[in-house]
Amino acid sequence: MDSNVSIRVMEKSDLERCADLFLKVFNASPWFDEWQSAGQVQQYLLEFMDNPVFVGYVIERNQALLGACFGHTKSWYSGREYHVHEYYIDTGLQRSGLGSALMNYIKDDLISKNIHCMVLLTEKELPAEEFYKKQGFQVKQDLIFMYNKL
C-alpha cells in the first residue's frame, strides 16, 4: 500500500467529504442510485453517525478521501457484531487494493475491540459481491431478505 495512504476511525468532520464521495460512487455504474444532492446524502449518513454505537472508518491519501465505511456495533447472544451499512471506494480507484486495505484495517480494529463478526447486505451479481467473498464473507443460506412496500 502507498505510504501516503492512511486509514483511521471516522470523525463527524468527515461527513461532508464522505457524502460527496458517496454521491459520486453510488449514482454511477454499477449501482445507478438516484441520490438528488450531497445534502440528501449527508442526512442519510448522519443518521448512522448519530447512532450511539456507530463506528466508521475512512481511507485517505494526502488528506484526500478515497473511501469510507459506515457501520454500527450490536450486542448478540454470541458476542458483539459489526454491521456494515455503507462501504465504498472512489470509483476510479476500485480494484487497486484500497478496499482490501480498508477492510483489513477494520478487521484488526474490530478484533482489538473484541468484536467477533462482521455482517452486511449487498446486491447479488455485482462486483461488490465478489469483493466481499474475497474478504472472507460468506452467503448465509438460511436467511432471506424481506420487505413490505407500503
Side-chain angles (χ1 to χ4, degrees):
M1 186 172 71
D2 183 335
S3 63
N4 292 327
V5 171
S6 64
I7 304 172
R8 62 176 172 79
V9 172
M10 187 181 293
E11 300 171 2
K12 278 249 176 143
S13 60
D14 296 313
L15 177 61
E16 186 175 333
R17 294 183 314 140
C18 287
D20 290 342
L21 183 57
F22 181 99
L23 189 66
K24 175 185 176 185
V25 170
F26 288 106
N27 275 2
S29 174
W31 305 104
F32 299 110
D33 288 351
E34 296 180 4
W35 293 95
Q36 301 302 308
S37 69
Q40 182 189 31
V41 175
Q42 282 182 28
Q43 180 59 43
Y44 170 70
L45 296 176
L46 186 59
E47 290 170 7
F48 294 123
M49 294 178 101
D50 284 343
N51 184 328
V53 289
F54 168 78
V55 182
Y57 301 89
V58 294
I59 184 167
E60 303 167 301
R61 179 183 296 124
N62 299 326
Q63 301 177 346
L65 185 69
L66 307 176
C69 176
F70 285 74
H72 78 276
T73 60
K74 180 179 177 180
S75 296
W76 192 241
Y77 70 88
S78 56
R80 290 175 59 223
E81 300 177 340
Y82 181 68
H83 289 246
V84 176
H85 294 290
E86 298 296 348
Y87 191 95
Y88 54 99
I89 298 294
D90 194 331
T91 308
L93 300 172
Q94 293 172 8
R95 294 181 167 29
S96 69
L98 292 170
S100 295
L102 178 58
M103 183 64 70
N104 290 334
Y105 179 93
I106 293 168
K107 288 176 181 178
D108 289 344
D109 189 56
L110 295 176
I111 290 167
S112 77
K113 294 175 179 172
N114 200 29
I115 297 172
H116 76 286
C117 180
M118 292 177 74
V119 179
L120 60 84
L121 295 172
T122 194
E123 290 188 39
K124 289 183 177 190
E125 300 177 9
L126 289 179
E129 179 182 6
E130 285 308 309
F131 168 77
Y132 292 121
K133 286 179 178 177
K134 287 179 184 176
Q135 299 303 315
F137 286 82
Q138 301 173 19
V139 175
K140 187 96 167 100
Q141 298 297 331
D142 60 342
L143 291 178
I144 58 172
F145 175 74
M146 298 178 72
Y147 73 101
N148 187 336
K149 191 169 184 175
L150 306 174

